Amino acid sequence: MATQRDIAARRTVALVGPSAAGKTSLAEALLWKAGAVGTPGSVERGSTVSDHDPLEKKALRSLNTTLLHFEHRGILTHLIDTPGAGDCLGQSLPALEAVETAAIVINAAAGVEPMAVRMMEWAQQRERDRIIVVNKIDAQGVDLQALVARIQQVFGKECLPLNLPSQKGERVLDCFWKMKDDGPPPDFSSIEAAHRALVEQVVEVDAAFVERYLNDGDVDPAELHAPLEQALREGHLVPICFVSARTGAGVPELLDVIERLLPDPTESNPPAFLEGEGETAKPVQALPDAGKHVLAHVFKITQDPYVGKMGVIRVHQGTITRDSQLYVGDGRRPFKVGHLFMLQGRELKEVAKAVPGDLCAIAKVEDLHYDAVLHDAAEDAHIHLKPLEFPLPVHGLAISPRRRGDEQRLHDILIKLVSEDPCLRVEHAASTNETVVYGLGELHLRTLLDRLTDVHNCQVETRPPRIAYRETITAAAEGHHRHKKQTGGAGQFGEVFLRIEPLPRGAGFQFADEVKGGAIPHNFMPAVEKGVRLAMEQGVIAGYPVVDLKVVVYDGKHHTVDSKEIAFVTAAKKALMAAVQSARPCVLEPIVDVEIATPEQYMGDITGDLASRRGQVSGTQSASAGALTVLAQAPLSELASYQSRLNSLTGGQGRYTLAFSHYEPVPPTVQAQLASQYKVKDDA
């Protein structure tokens, strides 16, 4: 049985932040310095442990979350390398749930980019300990002192250097354990000033230390572990470390910080487990104790062509061994753990057990799914994690197999790929009989298509993205339809009267039965609701789903012989369509938040272009010297192939991210165009 000392000898860290910040190279440098690899790999040569996927090697960027580990000075560190593209948030965000510490990696040359801000906010919301790692400190022309000031401006004064660069980024000097300048000077500030700022920030969480500090003038850093751990846990301190993954400068110091200062599983904020659903859900605390019953959660699913389905898990409580009997959520049938793996990139190392703080993988269990809670006690059947808030996938792509007869195979592969990424979604559009895949952007969907063709050998045809328009109503109205059909034998008869009224945006659908006196027998009411839902799915004015609607069925008629379910389905469907037509219907379009990182000189061109796309600029933020982030909102329909336009405006230097914001009515001219197109299809 593992002891508390064994659990305290574990660290879990996720490297998060924007693309091109050097997270993968930093992970490689840490593996090399800890002795886990013989020589550091290269992203350019495709030789890193982390980016082992052929698609990643081809793209020269991370596309997946990769698990790594190293053992150094008796400490086992689980490291997660995450992709930095906004399109890959379905991979990177779940990593925050699996670790004690989120290390936000910042490119010294690029400054504080939007993705760094996003990841810092998400880590703070999930109450992860946070540390900022400034990489590429040896880049030409960087102003690290100005960057620290910018970090403090964006993230707060609690962001303080734990070490300082020296000799133009060739070395890094510790400022926590070391108290005075007695060697080469740092490139800015001083060790004494940085040390004093750190100690003052840490002791503020403990009144006794504050008094000692005021009386004695200093505190031995060796005594500060408990208040430092508290300051990190409460977000009262966010340390800044400096490294160059390319030269190795600062990497030993960062390794030392991970092992000596970052929290172990017994010290961090507990995971956000809840028992029950909705407002009655109660917090449940998982204790990092190897002797208690098991609580773990699945934060990543992979579908390997050779290994099969594999769930990557974080153990929070108890011990999992080979042959353990575990339940998946509220499932009634346990499964037996056949093999337990620790991951090193693509390599699987079989282990005998996993204790709190361990990240490992279980293969060939079909019931595993993202966010599933694994347990071995019946009383834990209703425990789940507080859900992560993912961006809504709104980039759509209609997809079909190139070869007839492959529809089912394509569907099966898509379901597997969607299970790996919470930000991918597959829908069947009934109105057009299309399979539509939704993702977070062009890169997201392009990666999906590459996996289909390169990994699964499934050739497909695609069509331009179909915007996820919706329909709604703006006034109350009534609808009525009598369906009567005589075919020689028993006929069909059903009559439905209903009222509709608009609901607030995002409220969804409400259905009420107010029929009196058995005008519509109770057993036919499910058929009435089915007809209403069919009409809503099909759309009324432009062929898009109807949303935010309340339907009240208040009267009708039936026939003792001829009334059948199909008759009431048809009557309700046509009654709803008639009501919607009278309720001042409108088409809604998705509006997205746009963040555009651009050199300052192109701002005017970008804002003018956004205005021509019905966009509204809400402000700008200074990212670094000579660079800006433009914040705006625009209709998604106006941003098709926007990266190409942005490349043209900025000479290839601009980047953008999208996040769904809300739905708004389209302009009347656009609605008329969409409605006319739908009528042509409907009449055909």
Side-chain angles (χ1 to χ4, degrees):
M1 179 68 67
T3 65
Q4 290 303 100
R5 179 176 295 181
D6 295 328
I7 296 170
R10 281 161 167 75
R11 306 288 183 271
T12 54
V13 181
L15 301 178
V16 298
S19 294
K23 299 183 294 298
T24 299
S25 297
L26 177 58
E28 204 71 18
L30 286 167
L31 289 175
W32 172 65
K33 192 62 187 176
V37 296
T39 181
S42 163
V43 173
E44 291 74 22
R45 294 195 301 270
S47 57
T48 63
V49 178
S50 181
D51 288 354
H52 57 83
D53 189 307
L55 295 181
E56 292 177 313
K57 294 180 181 182
K58 180 180 176 181
L60 297 180
R61 67 191 304 169
S62 298
L63 300 171
N64 307 300
T65 292
T66 305
L67 270 69
L68 311 161
H69 67 272
F70 54 82
E71 204 161 348
H72 187 248
R73 295 179 187 160
I75 300 293
L76 173 62
T77 298
H78 294 282
L79 192 67
I80 305 181
D81 180 25
T82 69
D87 286 11
C88 299
L89 287 171
Q91 290 284 327
S92 55
L93 283 182
L96 297 176
E97 298 285 35
V99 298
E100 269 69 58
T101 304
I104 292 86
V105 183
I106 290 176
N107 182 344
V112 181
E113 298 177 83
M115 186 53 66
V117 178
R118 280 190 180 185
M119 297 309 297
M120 180 68 85
E121 290 174 348
W122 271 312
Q124 185 175 14
Q125 289 170 8
R126 303 305 280 195
E127 297 185 329
R128 300 298 88 192
D129 291 24
R130 290 159 289 145
I131 182 173
I132 294 171
V133 181
V134 178
N135 192 16
K136 304 186 180 183
I137 60 173
D138 57 328
Q140 190 172 4
V142 297
D143 186 343
L144 297 177
Q145 185 173 11
L147 178 57
V148 170
R150 176 62 181 159
I151 288 172
Q152 292 177 336
Q153 179 187 359
V154 175
F155 299 131
K157 295 296 184 181
E158 63 270 22
C159 301
L160 295 172
L162 206 57
N163 49 44
L164 289 170
S166 178
Q167 299 174 341
K168 296 184 178 180
E170 292 183 4
R171 295 184 58 185
V172 167
L173 308 175
D174 168 67
C175 300
F176 182 75
W177 301 99
K178 195 173 181 181
M179 304 182 190
K180 295 182 180 179
D181 300 81
D182 58 0
D187 292 340
F188 65 91
S189 186
S190 69
I191 291 176
E192 187 172 355
H195 176 81
R196 185 168 59 251
L198 281 168
V199 172
E200 289 177 355
Q201 190 75 7
V202 169
V203 299
E204 282 183 358
V205 302
D206 191 314
F209 273 107
V210 171
E211 187 174 348
R212 280 183 55 190
Y213 181 74
L214 293 175
N215 292 334
D216 302 341
D218 207 346
V219 178
D220 184 352
E223 299 181 62
L224 289 177
H225 182 82
L228 173 67
E229 175 265 316
Q230 182 181 347
L232 290 172
R233 189 176 66 245
E234 296 176 354
H236 192 68
L237 173 67
V238 179
I240 303 173
C241 296
F242 295 89
V243 301
S244 169
R246 185 182 67 86
T247 67
V251 175
E253 289 77 9
L254 180 58
L255 197 58
D256 192 56
V257 167
I258 292 172
E259 294 166 354
R260 300 177 70 183
L261 300 181
L262 294 189
D264 64 56
T266 69
E267 296 173 325
S268 65
N269 291 314
F273 279 117
L274 299 171
E275 185 171 15
E277 301 292 339
E279 296 180 358
T280 61
K282 298 178 181 179
V284 175
Q285 185 170 2
L287 300 175
D289 186 333
K292 291 189 174 295
H293 51 89
V294 171
L295 276 179
H297 88 279
V298 179
F299 67 94
K300 180 179 172 65
I301 291 288
T302 64
Q303 298 276 1
D304 189 280
Y306 304 104
V307 180
K309 188 175 187 178
M310 188 162 64
V312 186
I313 67 173
R314 160 68 194 251
V315 182
H316 297 281
Q317 178 178 288
T319 301
I320 298 177
T321 63
R322 285 175 289 185
D323 299 333
S324 286
Q325 297 277 342
L326 298 178
Y327 294 89
V328 181
D330 57 2
R332 297 182 179 181
R333 293 177 56 188
F335 70 90
K336 182 178 178 181
V337 178
H339 300 278
L340 200 59
F341 300 106
M342 192 178 296
L343 303 179
Q344 187 76 302
R346 70 184 304 165
E347 294 181 6
L348 305 178
K349 175 186 176 183
E350 190 154 3
V351 293
K353 65 180 180 180
V355 301
D358 276 336
L359 311 184
C360 56
I362 297 173
K364 297 181 180 178
V365 179
E366 286 304 313
D367 290 342
L368 292 182
H369 57 86
Y370 167 72
D371 225 20
V373 170
L374 306 184
H375 60 93
D376 59 359
E379 62 266 26
D380 294 336
H382 300 292
I383 291 178
H384 59 93
L385 273 172
K386 180 181 178 182
L388 268 171
E389 293 184 7
F390 289 101
L392 184 68
V394 291
H395 279 260
L397 192 64
I399 187 170
S400 59
R402 186 170 296 175
R403 190 173 62 183
R404 293 192 65 179
D406 276 357
E407 288 80 7
Q408 186 60 47
R409 179 168 177 262
L410 172 61
H411 177 266
D412 293 343
I413 296 171
L414 286 175
I415 294 302
K416 287 183 178 180
L417 294 176
V418 168
S419 73
E420 298 180 333
D421 190 336
C423 290
L424 278 174
R425 183 163 52 94
V426 175
E427 288 184 0
H428 182 75
S431 59
T432 58
N433 196 28
E434 289 181 324
T435 296
V436 183
V437 183
Y438 291 99
L440 298 180
E442 297 169 16
L443 172 64
H444 202 189
L445 294 179
R446 188 166 66 246
T447 302
L448 173 77
L449 295 178
D450 287 344
R451 291 204 186 287
L452 280 170
T453 56
D454 296 359
V455 178
H456 297 278
N457 194 29
C458 182
Q459 304 302 316
V460 297
E461 303 281 357
T462 61
R463 290 173 292 285
R466 186 175 188 261
I467 303 300
Y469 293 108
R470 296 291 183 260
E471 298 178 16
T472 193
I473 60 173
T474 59
E478 295 193 359
H480 158 251
H481 186 80
R482 172 185 287 188
H483 177 71
K484 185 175 182 181
K485 187 176 182 181
Q486 200 70 34
T487 56
Q492 294 180 11
F493 181 86
E495 187 170 5
V496 173
F497 293 82
L498 53 79
R499 293 190 299 268
I500 62 174
E501 59 186 75
L503 293 176
R505 193 80 72 242
F509 168 60
Q510 295 178 13
F511 182 84
D513 173 9
E514 295 184 1
V515 176
K516 301 289 193 297
I520 300 178
H522 183 70
N523 60 302
F524 286 127
M525 196 53 65
V528 173
E529 183 174 354
K530 180 180 179 181
V532 167
R533 289 184 179 273
L534 283 174
M536 291 177 64
E537 291 171 7
Q538 179 180 310
V540 178
I541 58 172
Y544 297 99
V546 181
V547 297
D548 304 333
L549 183 72
K550 181 176 181 179
V551 177
V552 178
V553 179
Y554 66 90
D555 201 0
K557 290 182 180 178
H558 74 286
H559 189 277
T560 53
V561 176
D562 291 347
S563 285
K564 298 177 177 64
E565 286 190 2
I566 184 62
F568 279 102
V569 168
T570 304
K573 180 179 176 181
K574 293 187 176 180
L576 183 81
M577 294 175 70
V580 169
Q581 292 282 10
S582 303
R584 296 206 303 269
C586 69
V587 176
L588 303 173
E589 64 180 340
I591 305 297
V592 292
D593 292 319
V594 191
E595 292 185 359
I596 304 169
T598 175
E600 192 173 358
Q601 64 266 32
Y602 302 116
M603 179 185 165
D605 294 335
I606 287 173
T607 55
D609 183 68
L610 284 172
S612 71
R613 297 169 182 267
R614 297 191 282 130
Q616 293 183 337
V617 176
S618 57
T620 60
Q621 294 178 351
S622 176
S624 60
L628 288 173
T629 299
V630 179
L631 307 177
Q633 286 191 335
L636 179 62
S637 61
E638 298 285 348
L639 297 175
S641 304
Y642 184 62
Q643 187 62 57
S644 300
R645 178 59 177 161
L646 191 58
N647 290 341
S648 175
L649 291 173
T650 64
Q653 298 181 66
R655 297 188 303 280
Y656 78 102
T657 58
L658 296 180
F660 173 78
S661 175
H662 62 283
Y663 273 94
E664 277 187 8
V666 300
T669 54
V670 176
Q671 178 161 321
Q673 181 184 4
L674 292 172
S676 65
Q677 291 172 350
Y678 177 62
K679 287 175 182 175
V680 170
K681 293 179 184 176
D682 203 39
D683 294 337

